[in-house]
Structures are given as structure tokens and as C-alpha cells.
Amino acid sequence: MMNNLYNCVIVDDEPIAREIIESFVHKTPNLVLLGSFQNAVEALNFSKKEDVDLYFLDINMPEINGLSLAKIIDKNTHIIFTTAYRDYAIDGFNLNVVDYLLKPIAFDRFLQAIEKIPKKTQHKIVVENSEFKNDFLFVRSERKMIKISFNDILYIESLSDYIKIHLDDQIIVTRETISNINTKLPQHLFLRIHRSYIVSILKIHSYTNEFIEVSNTALPISRSYKETVLQKLAEM
């Protein structure tokens, strides 16, 4: 399971609790932190634009509590409850969540929860990666489907519900989220470095701990993706 990559968010109204879980996520190679939110409304709005695999979800929060949010989000999204109240455990497991972590949370207990994420997610990733039989994809732009070779892509930039695909000689704009386009790209050729950027590994000219340079453009590596990005680049 540890070879799988999970996009996750943290939802907790306590800043210190969020910081602790954030530090745990950054220490765990197969977790990518997309966002950290102090209330359920912010997290729910965010998840409509991004593909979230895993929620670290506090239960006792104002307005919409964690139990209510768990009933709203996509059933395919995994949930690990985090709370200071042991009494909520039964309610949490009735919702078929991955695990229930009682605060204060120890890192080894955190890792045990990650190991409980169902193995079927790994099967899904293998199937998706095996689907890349071509070296191109089609995107809709200006009322027609345009064929784009993977080798021509420099980087992809998010514009909320649209993306800019930067090629060697042009920019193509299409209505698509960056998370969706990421699933259509072969992962051995492309690397997501930020919630707003995906780069072609073959087009990388240079990089630091903070930026990747592609075609004389410096693209930021976000803190959430930094560990995964630098590890993958170091292995090449």
C-alpha cells in the first residue's frame, strides 16, 4: 500500500491539531497534502475542484461537524476521523471510515491508520496506469477536439475550471480541472509539483528545492508536493 499516492486534506478547527497532522503527512511519502481547512464548508468547496482521496476529519466542529461532512462527501473518498472525544468512535465506525484517531495522536498510530486504507485503491491505480497505450490525448478547445502529443507538452497550468496546456509553440486552453487531466497523463512522464502546475519531466531544464525551470519559466514547488517531487527527481 505504501507505493500508492493519496491526495489528502485536513479539516480541523484547531490550528495546533492541523499543524500536527500536517507534519505527519509531510513525513509520509505516499501522502500529498492538497489543503488544510478550519471548517467543513471550506473543505467541501475545495473538494469540488480537486480530486481528494483521503480526509483527515475532526468531528467536533462548529456549523457542520465531521459526522455530517462524512455523509456528504463522495463515498469513494477515504476518511480518517481525528477527535479528542472517545464517545464519537461508534458513530465514526458506523460510517465505514478507515480509522478513528484519538487526540493527542502519535505518529506510529497515524501510520497504522494509513496502512488500513483498502487495498482496492492500489488496484485502481494499477489499472489506470496500464491504460496509457498511446503517446497522445485529445482535448476540447474552440469547439473541436485537438490531438496533443505528450512529448510536446512543457507544463500544464490550472485556471480553476480551465487549464492552460503550454506546448513548444502554442498554448491550448480547455475546460478541465488539473486533477482530472493529471489522471490522463502517464505518471512516468509528468510530475505534479503544485496544486496549479504539472510539468513534463523530460522538459525540466533545472530545479531547486523551491522551483522547477521549464522553457525559461520558473514554476513553484508547493510545500505540499515538495517531498514527493524532490524524492522522485533525485531517483532519476
Side-chain angles (χ1 to χ4, degrees), residues 160-218:
S160 187
D161 292 334
Y162 290 82
I163 58 171
K164 281 184 178 180
I165 303 177
H166 295 256
L167 308 178
D168 289 317
D169 56 355
Q170 63 177 312
I171 297 174
I172 295 175
V173 179
T174 182
R175 185 177 179 84
E176 179 75 277
T177 66
I178 195 167
S179 292
N180 285 340
I181 198 71
N182 194 44
T183 64
K184 301 174 184 178
L185 300 170
Q187 298 303 298
H188 66 287
L189 294 179
F190 293 90
L191 183 61
R192 189 165 185 182
I193 64 170
H194 190 281
R195 60 182 292 187
S196 298
Y197 294 104
I198 298 171
V199 301
S200 167
I201 295 174
L202 297 176
K203 305 293 185 177
I204 295 176
H205 180 264
S206 63
Y207 71 91
T208 68
N209 289 348
E210 307 295 333
F211 295 93
I212 285 180
E213 185 180 353
V214 178
S215 186
N216 296 319
T217 301

Side-chain angles (χ1 to χ4, degrees), residues 59-78:
I59 294 179
N60 189 29
M61 295 185 294
E63 298 180 5
I64 301 177
N65 65 30
L67 293 173
S68 298
L69 179 59
K71 297 174 183 177
I72 298 173
I73 62 178
D74 191 302
K75 293 182 180 179
N76 293 321
T77 304
H78 303 302

Side-chain angles (χ1 to χ4, degrees), residues 4 118-130:
N4 294 342
K119 300 295 183 180
K120 63 181 180 180
T121 304
Q122 182 175 8
H123 175 69
K124 176 182 177 183
I125 292 175
V126 171
V127 171
E128 287 177 350
N129 286 341
S130 67

Side-chain angles (χ1 to χ4, degrees), residues 136-140 145-148 174 176 181 184:
F136 62 87
L137 76 154
F138 283 96
V139 299
R140 182 177 296 278
M145 301 300 292
I146 300 177
K147 181 181 179 180
I148 300 177
T174 182
E176 179 75 277
I181 198 71
K184 301 174 184 178

Side-chain angles (χ1 to χ4, degrees), residues 15 19 24 41 74 80 96 100 115 142 146 162 210 217 233:
E19 290 177 4
F24 288 172
V41 175
D74 191 302
I80 295 177
N96 196 31
Y100 175 96
E115 289 291 346
E142 298 179 354
I146 300 177
Y162 290 82
E210 307 295 333
T217 301
L233 291 175

Side-chain angles (χ1 to χ4, degrees), residues 82-97:
T82 60
T83 182
Y85 300 94
R86 191 180 300 273
D87 295 342
Y88 285 120
I90 295 178
D91 292 328
F93 285 118
N94 285 340
L95 288 170
N96 196 31
V97 300

